[in-house]
Amino acid sequence: MNDLSTTNNQNEQNLPKQYNPTTAQERWNKFWDESKLFQIKSNSTRRNSKGSFCVVIPPPNVTGALHMGHALNNTLQDIIVRMKRMQGYDTLWIPGVDHAGIATQAVVEKRLFDDEKLTRHDIGRDALVNRIWNWKNKYQTRIINQLKSMGCSCDWSRTRFTLDEICAKAVRHFFFRLFEKNLIYRGKRIVNWDTHLQTAVSDDEVVHETVDGNFWYIKYPIVEPKPDEPNFIIVATTRPETMLGDTAVAVHPDPESALNKATNNLKKRIENAPEKEKSDLQKELDEIENRKSSGQLDTLKKLAHMAKNGCKIKLPLTNRIIPLIVDNWAKPEKGTGCVKITPAHDPNDYEVGRRNNLPMINILNKDGSLNSEAGTYTGLKIKDAREKVVADLEKIGLLHSVEERVIELAHSDRSKTPIEPLLNDQWFVKMESLAQSAIDAVQEGEVIIIPERYTKGYVDWLSEKRDWPIGRQLWWGHRMPIWYCKNATEKEIKNAFNNRNDISWTLDEENNTWRICSLEEDLPKDAVKGYELVQEEDVLDTWFSSALWTHSTLGWPDLNDELDYYYPTGVLITNRDILTLWVARMVLAGKFNTGKKPFHDVYIHPKILDKYGEGMSKSKGNGVDPVSVIAKYGADAMRFGLAFLTTENQDVRLVLDFECPECGAVVEQTKKNRVMPKVQCPKCKKNFKTQWAEKDEDKILPEGLMINERFEVARNFCNKLWNAARFALLSLGDRKINFVTINNFLKSDLLEDRWILSRLATTTRDVTQMIETYRYAEAIRLLYDFAWDEFCSFYVEMVKSRLTDSERREVAESILFYVLRGLVILLHPVIPFVTEEIWQRLRDLDSSLESSVAIAGWMKSDESLIDLKIEERFKIFQELLRAIRDVRASRNIPPKDEISFAVKCNSTTAELLKPMEKYFLSMAKSRATQWGETVEAGTLSATVPLAGMDVYVDLSGVIDVSAEVLKLEKEIIKLDGFIKTKESKLSSDFISKAPQQVVEKERQSLEELKEQRQSASIAIKKLQEEIQK
RNA sequence: GGGCGAUUAGCUCAGUUGGUUAGAGCGUCUGGUUUACACCCAGAAGGUCAGCGGUUCGAGCCCGUUAUCGCCCACCA
């Protein structure tokens, strides 16, 4: 090695002691891009041997930048994609982003209002859409760059956007096909109205939040009550202003039996309830029972009777006369037992209204103010109207009482404003048959959801078969391909479109307006002679276009070779939040459009939570930018760390804090500072910027990067791998390795060689299987342990001496490089940059290697190299080595002092270990003196009894005899414990009932324990004799 | 109200179909610059696997139950 100094110096300069992720990322990203390794393969350049493997990215919303949740999602996809590519599949990963209608329009509108105090109505549809496009362009660029910096191996040339022309075409075709099959209809429904965004939102976009509210009890006067009848009906409400739209009050037709039923149910529940809840339930029951004796029930019975006789009520404030009706919806155990019915503003009341043919009075404008139906309250906002209604009722003495109460209030997920239920026209897709097809796909095993436990949620949700509301009153999205034509005859329509099969029409429910659906073309106003066509204003629900993502990205509806080859895709990797909204709809849309499932596997990965246990989201601002983690630890470390977290768990917690760029102090990330553009370090008092910095004055500050222990571990691992490679390369000097002929040396019969080759083959087999079944953490743990504990800590250490021996060098080098290359291949899907960096240096040694590790053949597990006996034998060596090292450390023997030891063992073990003598010297600075059955402890030795062998470490000169005795005594106590347990086990039913193998194992183990005990007590005797001397 | 999940070392988490003395990283402690790596090396201490009951020859794992925590779904005046 001494003669290699010149070359080594050069190499050492090229091989820094610490792996530098930043330069590697730049270099190899550029290289991958330029060599077009990840681009779709045309028919002629496909490998075809294994077929195709395609993945579509869950398109991130263009509302903002990616956070660690996305980083996890995309890391997991890239791991599979890279492995499949290396396995020889024609692999395609299609990237893209989602226009996210409501969410994106909401952020841009908010920005518009915050910055310029303008609303969308001030600037108009075109201007707003224009601004959203700018926003989209900005964030699409940022998102794609984030993905690239993570090392995602997407085909960037195929980046899609759910609102681009290719996707738009797919959307129109999907819509048209549904329309033609009569699966699309329009109807009046109570919708969740977002008064801020002024659009309907689906149930799935509504969140219930607990807020402080009131129960207002209002007296409704009865018109001309008979002497024995009450003058008032009292109703309770949390939304008193809606009384302006009341069209009835309902009471149960048979309050007595309904009340009995309710009390019986409650009694049953009390029986089964846990102790803690019983008292609350009992209170509830008492309250209801009380209704029977207090006369409340009698009143309800009377009211039911009155209702049947056509009793009328004068609605306060409006003085409208409304009926008292009987309906099962009114529950005698709830509220006052009477319920006000507001059919236009409550889903349940709507049903009651329909059943009883009640008028439906809408009192709201789209902006949340009251309309002309509200009389003197017209124009007031809901909140103001509520106050005034309550005040007015009080003034005229009709407010019975007010009760404070915590209520669950529906809020729009996007705007965080309260939802107002309101009767509106809405477009729907009939779900009956579509939902069934998606249920079948999963229940029949065509699509598999992993982990399996999520299947239930998927099936349950679809089983409700609720029709899908697809219209949104937004400006950002796919406009519905629907045109209205009033009063024309069908003949006129037919004439206008003269047998065209890209136009379809149907008459609306009132039979006077045609709805014309066009497949491709935007219909001109005058398409039907003599009539004006008006296009529907609504845009489609975002999920309507994302549902097509697996096939729209491959060019559907145009049937083409790519669609044919790459569809269905291999796996969809996503998180559980959108299993129903997105995944289920992709399955039904895929089946409907192509007749085939969109993917075979659905893998649901854990959700990343912050230190408060909250999921990362844009609205909370707790999303951590992966780029900030990459800047600190490197992309490989981030990927490794994230994938290492990916178990079958539902959630994983990832605690990230800032690192002050000025003084290096850890600045805890708090709910407060995580949304600020700059943060002051509490230690050095200097400011640093965060990912939210936008102003120039903030942007010039140094950035506080995100730190986390798990990424540090991962970074250390990358560095370890790098250094193992560095060692191998430096030891080579100016020699070369020929990877083609390397196999010649795999037959070496040295224990350590056979061992590492066996371990590599085992690891290869297991890791491949783990990744293929999405057990990421397990795969990574195997690689981590193999690379660090076996390859670095043992093989590399052991091979050192052979590398300086010109006769034994060649075999050693070959195997060293063979294993290194194998590790690099196996690790490449997880840590692509450092492995490419190493690969390219291996390639300098032998240019016959593939041009990039990304397209190197995946490791095949050579089963003939797996030798469990060898692995067992090596464990004996490791155990012995550890015992000696332990003696050294615990007896404080200076590292430089050489010691000697003898081992009492059978001849097989002796033969096995004898060739390893040199390793005890190099790895534990200890010299073996004797091996065999007749070996005895020296008088001044430490004795370590192991299974099947005793180790005697010579401690002459340093021994503390009584301490040694003490150690052995402790050991005996421990051994006695084990022996006792085992003996009792072996004298029980265990021997007759447990499998023979297990029993045999126990017996053997007991024998060994007894031998160890024997050895220990002999050793004690010897030492005691020494003391007596 | 329904569903899903979690509870294992000081901290963060592994633990495949039940089978020797329950593992890792970080942190702690002891000792180390030996021809890759201090982002390192060698070693150690630290756990009645949340409680109770059951099934079993045998339970961290299966069943029941209790407690604490989290998430999702649901139209309650």
Side-chain angles (χ1 to χ4, degrees):
Chain A
M1 241 187 53
N2 296 332
D3 57 343
L4 303 170
S5 51
T6 327
T7 326
N8 274 350
N9 282 344
Q10 274 177 6
N11 278 344
E12 281 196 54
Q13 283 171 8
N14 294 333
L15 295 168
K17 281 189 171 191
Q18 277 186 14
Y19 166 63
N20 182 337
T22 315
T23 53
Q25 282 155 212
E26 275 170 25
R27 188 183 309 138
W28 303 118
N29 250 336
K30 190 158 170 266
F31 169 70
W32 293 332
D33 215 30
E34 285 169 357
S35 45
K36 302 190 191 315
L37 293 178
F38 310 141
Q39 291 202 6
I40 194 168
K41 300 288 183 289
S42 67
N43 205 344
S44 57
T45 57
R46 284 175 195 158
R47 302 195 206 179
N48 272 317
S49 53
K50 287 216 169 179
S52 71
F53 186 81
C54 179
V55 169
V56 289
I57 196 172
N61 293 347
V62 289
T63 41
L66 303 185
H67 54 63
M68 295 308 290
H70 299 104
L72 173 70
N73 175 255
N74 289 292
T75 296
L76 301 184
Q77 291 175 77
D78 199 41
I79 289 172
I80 297 279
V81 163
R82 281 184 184 266
M83 182 181 73
K84 290 284 178 179
R85 188 182 293 116
M86 293 167 84
Q87 284 176 335
Y89 292 90
D90 291 309
T91 304
L92 171 63
W93 183 11
I94 304 177
V97 289
D98 194 307
H99 68 281
I102 297 184
T104 313
Q105 182 167 330
V107 257
V108 174
E109 278 192 65
K110 182 171 187 301
R111 179 60 65 90
L112 181 67
F113 189 78
D114 289 350
D115 292 354
E116 302 169 47
K117 299 280 173 260
L118 293 172
T119 71
R120 73 177 198 241
H121 303 288
D122 295 328
I123 65 171
R125 187 164 190 151
D126 288 347
L128 184 83
V129 168
N130 200 21
R131 284 187 188 236
I132 306 177
W133 271 104
N134 288 339
W135 179 279
K136 173 260 169 188
N137 289 335
K138 182 176 158 190
Y139 278 96
Q140 173 167 339
T141 306
R142 181 155 169 205
I143 288 166
I144 298 295
N145 284 336
Q146 284 178 304
L147 291 172
K148 282 184 176 170
S149 65
M150 287 173 54
C152 294
S153 61
C154 300
D155 180 354
W156 305 110
S157 71
R158 293 185 70 93
T159 305
R160 291 263 71 79
F161 173 48
T162 52
L163 215 50
D164 67 20
E165 279 177 29
I166 288 175
C167 292
K169 184 170 181 180
V171 163
R172 298 187 126 195
H173 277 251
F174 182 38
F175 190 95
F176 188 83
R177 291 163 63 100
L178 291 168
F179 188 88
E180 272 199 311
K181 291 199 154 74
N182 273 324
L183 292 172
I184 286 188
Y185 68 93
R186 187 171 158 91
K188 282 222 182 287
R189 288 298 148 88
I190 296 278
V191 296
N192 303 302
W193 191 257
D194 181 326
T195 55
H196 181 257
L197 297 168
Q198 301 195 25
T199 177
V201 297
S202 74
D203 289 348
D204 307 301
E205 292 159 326
V206 170
V207 289
H208 292 270
E209 278 168 32
T210 317
V211 295
D212 290 331
N214 292 299
F215 250 15
W216 282 276
Y217 291 87
I218 306 171
K219 297 201 277 193
Y220 284 11
I222 290 172
V223 177
E224 295 171 11
K226 299 204 178 88
D228 61 332
E229 290 176 351
N231 293 334
F232 297 99
I233 295 179
I234 300 172
V235 295
T237 179
T238 55
R239 298 186 296 156
E241 72 286 358
T242 60
M243 67 166 289
L244 301 169
D246 283 1
T247 55
V249 170
V251 62
H252 196 279
D254 183 358
E256 185 156 26
S257 54
L259 198 60
N260 284 334
K261 208 172 156 191
T263 51
N264 287 337
N265 280 342
L266 201 49
K267 279 175 189 162
K268 263 185 212 154
R269 266 181 58 202
I270 292 175
E271 273 175 38
N272 299 322
E275 275 316 312
K276 204 178 66 174
E277 289 165 24
K278 279 189 179 169
S279 71
D280 280 351
L281 286 172
Q282 187 63 44
K283 231 181 252 172
E284 204 180 318
L285 179 64
D286 293 345
E287 201 271 330
I288 296 173
E289 295 273 15
N290 193 35
R291 294 184 173 200
K292 290 181 187 166
S293 50
S294 70
Q296 204 170 350
L297 176 61
D298 292 335
T299 310
L300 290 175
K301 278 157 90 174
K302 202 173 277 173
L303 287 172
H305 184 72
M306 287 160 66
K308 285 168 194 160
N309 289 332
C311 171
K312 299 287 180 210
I313 295 161
K314 194 160 121 189
L315 186 64
L317 306 180
T318 68
N319 293 332
R320 258 189 297 120
I321 302 298
I322 59 172
L324 177 66
I325 61 169
V326 290
D327 192 286
N328 286 333
W329 167 243
K331 306 277 186 261
E333 71 274 17
K334 300 223 161 123
T336 62
C338 299
V339 58
K340 60 195 269 311
I341 302 297
T342 323
H345 295 289
D346 183 285
N348 293 303
D349 293 3
Y350 175 74
E351 291 305 320
V352 176
R354 295 217 333 175
R355 278 201 290 273
N356 295 282
N357 290 317
L358 297 173
M360 311 210 172
I361 300 175
N362 179 11
I363 59 164
L364 278 180
N365 291 317
K366 299 283 156 86
D367 65 355
S369 63
L370 272 59
N371 66 20
S372 55
E373 293 285 351
T376 54
Y377 303 91
T378 303
L380 291 179
K381 289 281 177 187
I382 290 163
K383 189 170 167 279
D384 302 328
R386 177 171 301 173
E387 283 170 15
K388 189 157 189 294
V389 164
V390 170
D392 289 350
L393 285 170
E394 194 164 18
K395 224 179 283 169
I396 55 176
L398 292 179
L399 185 65
H400 175 267
S401 58
V402 187
E403 193 179 299
E404 282 183 12
R405 185 183 266 224
V406 176
I407 53 173
E408 288 279 307
L409 189 58
H411 285 75
S412 167
D413 193 29
R414 292 303 172 194
S415 68
K416 304 298 171 199
T417 48
I419 287 292
E420 298 301 332
L422 118 87
L423 194 62
N424 202 13
D425 286 321
Q426 178 62 285
W427 288 93
F428 291 93
V429 175
K430 283 183 197 156
M431 288 300 281
E432 180 66 38
S433 62
L434 292 169
Q436 192 58 49
S437 73
I439 294 172
D440 292 346
V442 163
Q443 286 186 335
E444 285 160 17
E446 208 184 343
V447 172
I448 292 171
I449 299 173
I450 305 153
E452 200 265 335
R453 65 171 179 274
Y454 293 111
T455 307
K456 190 177 172 353
Y458 170 97
V459 171
D460 287 352
W461 186 82
L462 281 168
S463 299
E464 289 182 31
K465 296 187 177 173
R466 280 185 299 183
D467 287 347
W468 177 10
I470 51 168
R472 295 291 182 277
Q473 293 69 42
L474 297 172
W475 291 348
W476 177 242
H478 291 282
R479 191 105 174 241
M480 280 202 190
I482 287 283
W483 284 260
Y484 297 103
C485 179
K486 265 192 186 167
N487 301 325
T489 65
E490 180 151 29
K491 206 177 168 192
E492 286 168 316
I493 305 272
K494 252 185 190 162
N495 286 341
F497 300 114
N498 191 26
N499 288 331
R500 279 172 62 176
N501 59 7
D502 63 335
I503 303 285
S504 183
W505 57 83
T506 137
L507 207 51
D508 74 357
E509 288 76 10
E510 282 86 36
N511 290 325
N512 60 20
T513 303
W514 291 97
R515 293 171 185 151
I516 304 168
C517 184
S518 165
L519 183 60
E520 293 283 0
E521 179 196 357
D522 277 339
L523 296 181
K525 278 184 185 170
D526 56 357
V528 180
K529 269 201 189 93
Y531 300 94
E532 191 188 357
L533 294 194
V534 179
Q535 189 177 1
E536 167 63 53
E537 290 283 322
D538 279 10
V539 300
L540 287 159
D541 178 15
T542 304
W543 301 109
F544 195 88
S545 52
S546 9
L548 312 180
W549 190 241
T550 52
H551 48 290
S552 64
T553 48
L554 285 165
W556 184 89
D558 294 334
L559 298 178
N560 62 64
D561 165 65
E562 287 176 4
L563 183 67
D564 214 39
Y565 191 59
Y566 288 102
Y567 186 91
T569 64
V571 60
L572 182 86
I573 298 182
T574 187
N575 67 59
R576 66 177 188 279
D577 296 357
I578 50 179
L579 181 62
T580 52
L581 298 178
W582 188 46
V583 179
R585 282 164 181 165
M586 270 198 289
V587 175
L588 64 88
K591 298 221 56 155
F592 181 77
N593 285 336
T594 71
K596 288 191 242 170
K597 65 188 174 187
F599 29 69
H600 185 261
D601 290 355
V602 177
Y603 175 68
I604 305 288
H605 59 72
K607 191 173 181 169
I608 301 258
L609 306 179
D610 67 9
K611 73 170 76 168
Y612 305 102
E614 296 174 356
M616 292 193 174
S617 76
K618 276 145 207 160
S619 50
K620 279 192 213 117
N622 60 348
V624 169
D625 188 343
V627 170
S628 166
V629 175
I630 291 171
K632 171 73 186 169
Y633 299 103
D636 287 331
M638 184 186 71
R639 295 167 58 113
F640 190 97
L642 287 172
F644 212 170
L645 289 169
T646 305
T647 62
E648 280 223 345
N649 243 324
Q650 285 200 138
D651 309 307
V652 291
R653 195 168 291 213
L654 191 65
V655 177
L656 285 149
D657 291 307
F658 293 109
E659 181 187 56
C660 172
E662 302 282 357
C663 70
V666 178
V667 182
E668 198 191 342
Q669 200 195 22
T670 62
K671 287 192 182 188
K672 203 174 155 197
N673 69 20
R674 73 186 181 192
V675 291
M676 303 198 305
K678 67 175 169 199
V679 173
Q680 190 188 44
C681 171
K683 197 173 160 201
C684 69
K685 306 292 175 201
K686 286 183 184 152
N687 287 324
F688 57 84
K689 71 172 173 183
T690 73
Q691 60 170 321
W692 308 112
E694 290 213 338
K695 290 183 200 152
D696 287 339
E697 53 177 280
D698 296 336
K699 274 186 171 172
I700 54 166
L701 294 168
E703 186 175 356
L705 301 179
M706 303 310 300
I707 56 171
N708 168 278
E709 177 214 302
R710 301 196 73 123
F711 295 132
E712 201 170 307
V713 169
R715 182 253 262 140
N716 294 353
F717 176 78
C718 294
N719 194 53
K720 186 75 179 174
L721 180 72
W722 168 250
N723 269 290
R726 180 172 183 265
F727 166 77
L729 291 163
L730 288 178
S731 72
L732 206 55
D734 55 1
R735 287 189 304 283
K736 297 270 183 195
I737 287 283
N738 182 336
F739 284 93
V740 181
T741 59
I742 229 168
N743 286 340
N744 297 342
F745 300 102
L746 301 185
K747 295 186 193 92
S748 158
D749 54 7
L750 288 176
L751 176 64
E752 59 271 33
D753 289 346
R754 297 295 311 279
W755 169 74
I756 198 72
L757 291 171
S758 176
R759 293 297 307 138
L760 176 64
T762 307
T763 307
T764 299
R765 181 192 64 195
D766 295 346
V767 165
T768 308
Q769 197 202 336
M770 295 300 127
I771 300 180
E772 279 171 346
T773 51
Y774 313 103
R775 282 137 80 182
Y776 293 94
E778 244 175 297
I780 289 181
R781 183 170 300 278
L782 290 174
L783 287 165
Y784 184 95
D785 291 346
F786 175 69
W788 200 305
D789 297 340
E790 301 189 314
F791 183 60
C792 290
S793 294
F794 278 88
Y795 195 73
V796 168
E797 287 308 317
M798 294 172 83
V799 93
K800 276 177 180 170
S801 60
R802 287 159 74 196
L803 293 176
T804 55
D805 178 338
S806 59
E807 290 200 359
R808 300 192 302 156
R809 187 162 63 195
E810 202 174 359
V811 175
E813 274 170 359
S814 296
I815 294 174
L816 178 66
F817 276 90
Y818 175 79
V819 178
L820 177 63
R821 172 176 153 277
L823 250 183
V824 164
I825 287 173
L826 291 173
L827 281 163
H828 178 257
V830 186
I831 45 175
F833 293 106
V834 65
T835 48
E836 184 75 281
E837 181 80 37
I838 296 170
W839 183 267
Q840 294 299 333
R841 291 171 197 271
L842 297 181
R843 203 163 172 263
D844 290 342
L845 303 175
D846 180 352
S847 59
S848 71
L849 290 179
E850 289 90 342
S851 64
S852 163
V853 63
I855 52 167
W858 185 249
M859 284 294 285
K860 290 197 184 75
S861 174
D862 184 346
E863 305 271 332
S864 71
L865 291 174
I866 297 181
D867 187 336
L868 295 181
K869 264 192 192 136
I870 291 285
E871 296 193 13
E872 280 306 313
R873 285 183 196 165
F874 198 81
K875 268 188 197 145
I876 298 176
F877 162 70
Q878 287 177 307
E879 199 184 353
L880 181 53
L881 186 73
R882 172 181 286 260
I884 295 167
R885 283 170 165 177
D886 180 23
V887 170
R888 294 198 66 116
S890 56
R891 276 72 167 184
N892 292 320
I893 297 170
K896 281 177 183 158
D897 294 359
E898 186 178 304
I899 56 171
S900 61
F901 67 95
V903 177
K904 181 184 175 189
C905 59
N906 63 33
S907 56
T908 321
T909 310
E911 255 169 66
L912 175 79
L913 291 172
K914 227 171 173 253
M916 311 300 278
E917 280 180 355
K918 58 181 175 296
Y919 298 127
F920 290 102
L921 201 53
S922 66
M923 297 171 85
K925 199 126 177 118
S926 53
R927 195 175 290 277
T929 54
Q930 273 186 295
W931 305 89
E933 291 182 64
T934 56
V935 172
E936 281 189 32
T939 46
L940 297 171
S941 294
T943 300
V944 187
L946 299 172
M949 57 186 169
D950 292 339
V951 192
Y952 310 121
V953 180
D954 182 10
L955 294 178
S956 323
V958 291
I959 195 165
D960 176 343
V961 178
S962 52
E964 290 300 325
V965 171
L966 209 64
K967 265 189 214 297
L968 285 163
E969 279 169 352
K970 269 190 190 164
E971 184 68 18
I972 284 179
I973 291 171
K974 208 168 91 185
L975 288 167
D976 279 343
F978 295 149
I979 289 169
K980 204 178 156 194
T981 325
K982 282 204 196 296
E983 276 177 340
S984 68
K985 194 174 186 180
L986 281 164
S987 58
S988 70
D989 286 355
F990 174 71
I991 26 176
S992 56
K993 298 203 172 165
Q996 208 46 47
Q997 281 172 306
V998 177
V999 177
E1000 203 39 55
K1001 232 175 172 181
E1002 284 297 294
R1003 284 205 173 113
Q1004 204 183 326
S1005 157
L1006 178 61
E1007 279 315 302
E1008 277 168 4
L1009 287 169
K1010 282 179 170 170
E1011 278 170 26
Q1012 286 180 51
R1013 193 196 185 286
Q1014 175 79 2
S1015 305
S1017 67
I1018 291 173
I1020 289 177
K1021 246 179 220 158
K1022 275 205 164 159
L1023 288 166
Q1024 280 167 343
E1025 282 166 18
E1026 195 60 32
I1027 292 172
Q1028 280 161 17
K1029 278 184 199 169

